[in-house]
Amino acid sequence: MTLPLLEPQLPFYDDELAQGYLARTGQFHTGASLSQFRGYWDIGVKDIRDGTEDFVQALSALSGVEAEHIRYNTLVAKPDGNFTLRGEIFNRPFVRRGSVTVCLECLADDHAKAGWNPGSLRFRWQWLLRPFVCCALHQSQLVEFRRVDSIDLFDIEQLLALNDIEPGDVATPGDKSPGLLQQYVSRRFSATDKCEDWLGTQTVSGVVKASEMLGALLADGPTAPIKEYGPSDWARVGDIGFKTYSAGTDTILREFKRLCTDSGRSSGRAGPQAAYGYFFRWLKKRNMVDGMEPLRSILRTAIVENFALDAGEVVLGETLPARRMHSANSLASATGISKSRISMLMRKAGMLPATAKGASLNRWAFPADAAEKVIARTQEAVSLRQVRKILGCSVTQAERLAHSGLISPIIPVTEGQHGIRAGGYVKEELEQFLANICNNCGGIDDEVEGYLSLWGVTCGRSSTEQILEFQLKGEFRHTKLLKGVSRIDHLRFNKDEVKAVLEELDPDFTISAGEVIRILGVQTYTPRRLASPEHGGPWLHEVDQTEYRQRKGKLRFSRIEFQKFQERYIKAAAIGRLLGISHVEVKKLMADSGILPIADPVWMGAWFYERKDLLRLIDNLDETAFPISELKSAAREWPNR
Ligand SMILES: [Zn+2]
């Protein structure tokens, strides 16, 4: 049938749905309902409901509005089950079915403008989309009308009549302004240019659903009661989720990581199920075409990066080709090393926080590559006896280096033996240390007059560690290597140069405040405080000034007394190096065990603890997280610097 142009023409607005415009056209020209009106012109119910091309052409002919304009604002059901409207694609749950929502104030405005003539009430396309819960113009909540799913839902005038409502007579529900998610959806449907960014490349319904599900997890946790959620709950969590979801992959991953850590702390239960609950189960069940692939893919990454899963395990539909993360447990069973030593090593490598212990220990995962490298380094670690061969020095010299902290074991390796002697020195580190010493030395073919070995220059006036420290600092410019070989026993020091440098220090048995500051790494005023009788001191005695007239006014201590001080006290930072944690964590652990520093640390300019208190602290440590007996033997001689 050729359809006539109905006159006068009824304008078509950009904010209205084409199906609603057809109903309005019928009311305006004939006063008939949509059902009757479409019968006059033989327009199929299915054509209207699905927004077919026949519908578009018929409405264009009757109204005189360009088909293209009508098509743009038509809700179209596509054969694949999705819908389109205004250039957006979305799935079925995104569309209200069996109900519409309206803004009674918008309708009252329509009425007032048209002088209460029929055909004035516009069906805003927003009212058919589930994410719209309030009117942005009137800041009021939308009112829902339910009706068996039929084209009657498009006929606002009929719908109000059936419900006996006159717009303007009914009070509109309270103040409400659109949340972030609704604003976003509104922007997308209103934009003429589609954006190709992170969200723009996803379907609008995918973005909404992902935001809602993510928001429920973030707001209400892994046991969020999503089955009990009503529309206002979904709007609430949708806004929360959108904030994170719209920020992109990195932000979402960060939140997933946090949830993983939180769940471990509280329950100690492992696995994605504990951290992500319903959210994980829900994504596990999804098929591949529902627009959730971006979110599923991010969660998969989060799981692979935060949980110790074995190769071959299936994560959200994909098989893990290789192990990415280890836990203390999985690493222990893979290497045969005890769990407490693994925890210790991982802590030293900065992969495990000091707070992880007991049940939650196994919740922490570390990158498998890096963890295996740490373990491999320990397996290859050498004893102090072997250190001697690598560095080319005597046993005594090696011990001096270890005591002074110039070289330090990563961890005492053998149970029951003393830490420093028992080994656990990393070969690579020793080689680096040697390279640093020998780097700038020129070579000589034979012994040269005026040049002495390390033993030769230390004899009677200095120590191994002191000379090597000066060498490391570049104080000796003339040091040579015999035959160019980088070993400590091949070092040849210029006698005069060494003498000159040492003479600036003291040849006698005292030690200057400056050297104490340097060795301890403390504030300039700390040596003075150590010698003060205040706050329970002194801890070190100033050497009698009368014996050192020529150095009057300068604070000095006895070397022997300082040695004893070092044996008796230990700094928080040194404890941190022993336990593989930060000095801040040391202070906290100490405070938790009721152990105080020897004096007010602010006044002192340093946190010194008694070494016997350190032993007490070690006794209180969690034995699944720290190898207690090894730490205790190491603690007795751990360098304080
Ligand atoms: Zn309104």
Side-chain angles (χ1 to χ4, degrees), residues 103 105-106 135 137-138 140:
C103 169
E105 291 190 60
C106 281
C135 174
L137 192 64
H138 295 104
S140 61

Side-chain angles (χ1 to χ4, degrees), residues 217 221-222 256 259-261 263-264 269-277 307 363:
L217 178 68
F256 283 156
L259 286 164
C260 161
T261 314
S263 78
R269 275 176 62 204
Q273 182 73 255
Y276 309 123
F307 293 88
R363 260 308 313 117

